[in-house]
Amino acid sequence: MPARTATAAATAVATCALGFAALAAAPAAGAVAGSAPPAVTARAAAVDRCSYQVVRDHDSRYVYTVSRVAGGVTRELPVQKEDYVRFSGDWRMAVQVDACADGGPAPTALRVTGRLADPENYDPSVPRTIRSGDLRPAAPSAVPKAPEVTSVVRLDAATARVRWQPAQGAPDQVMLMERKPFYSSELGIWHPYTFQRDVPAGATSLDRRLERDPGIPAGQRTHSYWMRVVKGGFVSDLRAERPVTIEP
């Protein structure tokens, strides 16, 4: 599949679009009873032996890291994959980290730290560092499984039908992820953009419009589709997403 690399302008558009979304906070997991609420609210679950998922709120002023807490030692973990995910209308950042990359012990807890990206641009009253409480990871069973896309077939010159396997485990939301060219009237360019389409309960197909404008650059015409589900505050394994593509 062609590399899905957005231009700097595309990144700016996506960032602005997400900036209008309400990034509400999920309940914190593992906070010490009786303590003040942590500045970063998040929850965590083990995806497998090495990968952990952290779903947190997001303040775009900060740069975030996830650390392992084990044996009294805290160490930052490398990110495997991350994405904004809409949970029942509220946007969260879902991050998956690798706890085996450095050969360290399995975490007894995870901790999120946010550091103000440009402190010189903010009043001293704005916290320079914000943190979550210690997050005790839920079991891997807490992370739902997404169905696979089985086919993408062209119905006519401008329409494709995407089919997928039935969702298992009664997820809270089932979403068809669609990446296709998007025209920014503000910037006057076409660029790849990812949309999250909620699908009706029990549905196993959805018809999608193909963008065929002659102004779309040749290298950005590909349309890609994959499935994602949400349940109990966690999203399906982001690493397991395998887009199926079609050229309009």
Side-chain angles (χ1 to χ4, degrees):
M1 185 187 76
R4 298 183 294 147
T5 304
T7 62
T11 301
V13 171
T15 302
C16 290
L18 289 167
F20 290 112
L23 299 172
V32 177
S35 65
V40 180
T41 52
R43 63 182 70 205
V47 183
D48 53 36
R49 188 178 66 86
C50 290
S51 180
Y52 289 78
Q53 183 179 117
V54 174
V55 178
R56 59 168 171 80
D57 60 352
H58 182 76
D59 184 331
S60 61
R61 298 174 298 176
Y62 292 86
V63 176
Y64 295 84
T65 58
V66 178
S67 299
R68 168 187 36 233
V69 181
V73 177
T74 301
R75 181 173 295 181
E76 184 178 332
L77 298 175
V79 173
Q80 296 171 321
K81 196 169 182 180
E82 62 183 359
D83 200 2
Y84 284 98
V85 179
R86 190 173 70 245
F87 288 77
S88 299
D90 295 327
W91 289 94
R92 308 277 195 272
M93 178 66 81
V95 182
Q96 289 185 204
V97 294
D98 187 353
C100 294
D102 60 1
T108 54
L110 298 171
R111 188 178 298 158
V112 179
T113 302
R115 293 180 174 83
L116 198 61
D118 298 299
E120 66 278 4
N121 295 329
Y122 294 96
D123 186 89
S125 62
V126 177
R128 269 41 188 169
T129 302
I130 56 177
R131 295 183 176 86
S132 71
D134 284 357
L135 310 174
R136 308 293 176 179
S141 58
V143 178
K145 305 294 183 184
E148 293 184 8
V149 171
T150 55
S151 66
V152 180
V153 297
R154 189 189 306 275
L155 299 183
D156 55 44
T159 311
R161 176 165 294 169
V162 185
R163 293 189 177 95
W164 58 88
Q165 296 175 340
Q168 303 296 316
D172 300 330
Q173 294 171 246
V174 180
M175 296 154 283
L176 173 66
M177 305 300 295
E178 178 182 43
R179 188 166 179 82
K180 66 178 185 176
F182 175 78
Y183 184 72
S184 168
S185 57
E186 295 178 352
L187 298 175
I189 62 171
W190 287 91
H191 62 86
Y193 193 85
T194 300
F195 298 87
Q196 178 174 299
R197 314 286 189 187
D198 291 350
V199 300
T204 56
S205 70
L206 198 64
D207 293 352
R208 300 305 310 148
R209 176 174 173 267
L210 300 173
E211 298 293 347
R212 297 172 53 83
D213 191 286
I216 301 173
Q220 298 180 10
R221 295 182 181 275
T222 300
H223 291 51
S224 301
Y225 304 92
W226 65 98
M227 302 304 294
R228 182 177 285 177
V229 299
V230 166
K231 184 175 183 179
F234 295 104
V235 64
S236 46
D237 186 352
L238 299 178
R239 301 165 308 162
E241 295 175 342
R242 301 289 182 264
V244 177
T245 63
I246 186 172
E247 298 290 338

